[in-house]
Amino acid sequence: MPAAYEQYLAPVLFRPFAEDLAARAAALHPRRILELAAGTGVLTSELLAVAPPAEVTATDLNEAMVAFGAARAPGAVWRQADAQRLPFPDGADAADGGFDLVACQFGVMFFPDRVAAFAEVRRVLAPGGRFLFNTWGPLGSHAFDSAVQAGLERAFPVDPPQFLPTVPHGYADPAAVAVDLAAAGFTVEEERELTLEGRAASAADVALGFLTGTPVRAAVEERGDDPSVRAAVVAEVTARLGPGPVTAPMTAYVFRGVA
């Protein structure tokens, strides 16, 4: 999964927003950065490139992602970690001063208890530290994801996988995010809607990335994966986005909270 995710999805869906988030991080002039849900290191690489001499610690719950990311972005310190139980001391008491920035690219939607995870972020931040992260907007505002979901509904008209609308796009209300941040003790300094374009070599590549490099893979296998499923998803995504190189809009929200 990490290899498929990195090959087919990271450049298209995540690198444009990683460049934006890393630039926002660099503008804060952080000394020590903690990244949560770092995945294969898309944001990590950007942080290392634009925010030196900051020390970057990248974490992910998935050990396979940590191994892949450590090879991809060896300039960071990589650790396997649960965002709801971070293995770091309280920022106010840490001998090294704690982290002055925690960053997370499209990971908070996966936290089972977001308020608990946000509270952990606040705990490990130095006083006055920032929490910078983004979430996807509604499914309909993301041309790639909505096309893939339509393809899954075409392949499975009775019981289509619901991963995309319920997880990546299941935290798409900025007001709800702000409430959770406040419950964890954060003040929201900035909230912004941002639409960027993704570029893929083909619609088929995007479909393949979701079918092999995300939890959609397991959902499809549970329903009886066969070549007709892939064909149906590719056909629908191509019909919606077009053949050949594809460019399409994607909307997200960017948040910055202060501890």
Side-chain angles (χ1 to χ4, degrees):
M1 284 180 63
Y5 175 97
E6 176 66 19
Q7 179 178 353
Y8 297 112
L9 299 182
V12 181
L13 308 184
F14 300 107
R15 186 164 297 136
F17 289 97
E19 292 172 354
D20 173 81
L21 208 63
R24 295 175 190 273
L28 299 172
H29 306 291
R31 182 180 56 87
R32 297 187 69 230
I33 303 172
L34 172 64
E35 183 184 356
L36 306 180
T40 60
V42 182
L43 176 60
T44 320
S45 296
E46 295 296 331
L47 290 171
L48 292 169
V50 305
E55 173 189 312
V56 179
T57 299
T59 65
D60 198 278
L61 182 62
N62 187 304
E63 291 185 1
M65 288 290 191
V66 170
F68 194 101
R72 184 185 189 279
V77 175
W78 283 82
R79 292 188 63 174
Q80 189 275 336
D82 183 345
Q84 294 176 199
R85 291 182 292 275
L86 292 172
F88 305 105
D90 293 1
D93 301 329
D96 54 16
F99 298 100
D100 45 8
L101 176 65
V102 175
C104 184
Q105 181 181 224
F106 299 122
V108 299
M109 303 90 73
F110 292 85
F111 300 159
D113 186 336
R114 297 179 186 115
V115 174
F118 293 169
E120 273 291 272
V121 169
R122 187 174 185 276
R123 180 183 67 78
V124 302
L125 277 171
R130 264 73 176 183
F131 182 24
L132 181 66
F133 65 97
N134 50 20
T135 67
W136 290 120
L139 179 62
S141 70
H142 195 300
F144 291 107
D145 288 13
S146 58
V148 170
Q149 182 63 26
L152 292 169
E153 292 171 1
R154 174 172 172 175
F156 300 101
V158 175
D159 180 29
Q162 293 299 309
F163 168 74
L164 287 172
T166 60
V167 183
H169 297 278
Y171 200 35
D173 180 358
V177 178
V179 167
D180 288 347
L181 284 168
F186 280 99
T187 299
V188 178
E189 284 190 319
E190 183 178 16
E191 171 200 315
R192 179 170 299 187
E193 181 179 308
L194 180 66
T195 299
L196 299 177
E197 287 192 334
R199 294 175 174 82
S202 70
D205 280 358
V206 175
L208 183 61
F210 277 99
L211 291 172
T212 60
T214 73
V216 169
R217 174 179 180 172
V220 168
E221 290 174 350
E222 289 172 359
R223 289 162 173 78
D225 189 14
D226 63 58
S228 66
V229 172
R230 179 175 297 185
V233 175
V234 168
E236 185 65 27
V237 174
T238 301
R240 287 172 175 261
L241 301 179
V246 176
T247 301
M250 310 172 290
T251 296
Y253 301 109
V254 182
F255 299 88
R256 188 178 73 235
V258 61

